[in-house]
């Protein structure tokens, strides 16, 4: 498979918790501050962490996902989009240690 070039975005939302129930944020050079910024950061962090909750992870059974449980059965109202993680399957063969070391020692990035 060919590698796809990564083009990072020019600007992104930067949020830092201050530890007192407030947060500081920056986007497009605009400073943001307050409890509402903390609530936004907390919400984003919680949504991200919920992606890795065992009940939200996709199953990889060969028999048509017989262990898959619907959101109604789990008692969840939210539907998580885990499609971006579904493409990764466990590889059957491991990389040789020498090849891994060679990759780690590369300086052409």
């Amino acid at each position: 498979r060919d590698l796809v070039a990564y083009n990072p975005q020019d600007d992104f939302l930067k949020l830092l918790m201050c530890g007192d129930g407030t947060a500081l944020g920056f986007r497009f050079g605009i400073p943001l501050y307050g409890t509402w910024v903390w609530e936004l950061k907390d919400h984003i962090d919680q949504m991200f962490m919920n992606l890795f909750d065992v009940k939200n992870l996709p199953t990889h059974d060969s028999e048509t996902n017989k262990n898959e449980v619907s959101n109604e059965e789990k008692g969840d109202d939210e539907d998580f989009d885990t499609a971006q993680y579904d493409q990764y399957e466990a590889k059957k063969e491991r990389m040789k240690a020498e090849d891994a070391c060679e990759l780690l020692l590369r300086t052409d990035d």
Side-chain angles (χ1 to χ4, degrees):
R1 209 189 270 200
D2 291 336
L3 294 177
V4 178
Y6 174 69
N7 297 316
Q9 57 189 350
D10 293 335
D11 193 22
F12 56 92
L13 179 62
K14 300 167 239 7
L15 299 172
L16 301 167
M17 289 192 171
C18 297
D20 61 354
T22 62
L24 180 62
F26 296 96
R27 176 71 176 175
F28 302 120
I30 301 170
L32 311 166
Y33 177 77
T35 55
W36 70 273
V37 181
W38 184 92
E39 291 169 359
L40 175 64
K41 177 166 177 36
D42 187 56
H43 176 74
I44 292 170
D45 291 348
Q46 290 295 325
M47 292 299 293
F48 178 75
M49 293 306 295
N50 286 342
L51 285 173
F52 302 99
D53 191 341
V54 173
K55 64 184 178 183
N56 297 323
L57 293 175
T59 59
H60 293 287
D61 293 341
S62 58
E63 298 177 18
T64 65
N65 290 336
K66 65 180 179 183
N67 292 333
E68 190 169 335
V69 179
S70 71
N71 284 341
E72 292 173 4
E73 292 171 325
K74 290 186 275 187
D76 286 347
D77 295 332
E78 297 184 64
D79 189 22
F80 294 95
D81 180 13
T82 58
Q84 62 181 325
Y85 306 109
D86 293 343
Q87 64 180 321
Y88 299 101
E89 298 288 334
K91 291 186 176 182
K92 297 194 189 289
E93 97 183 35
R94 291 181 61 173
M95 180 182 286
K96 293 179 184 175
E98 295 83 12
D99 294 338
C101 289
E102 191 174 313
L103 283 175
L104 289 171
L105 294 173
R106 287 177 54 178
T107 59
D108 60 345
D109 57 307

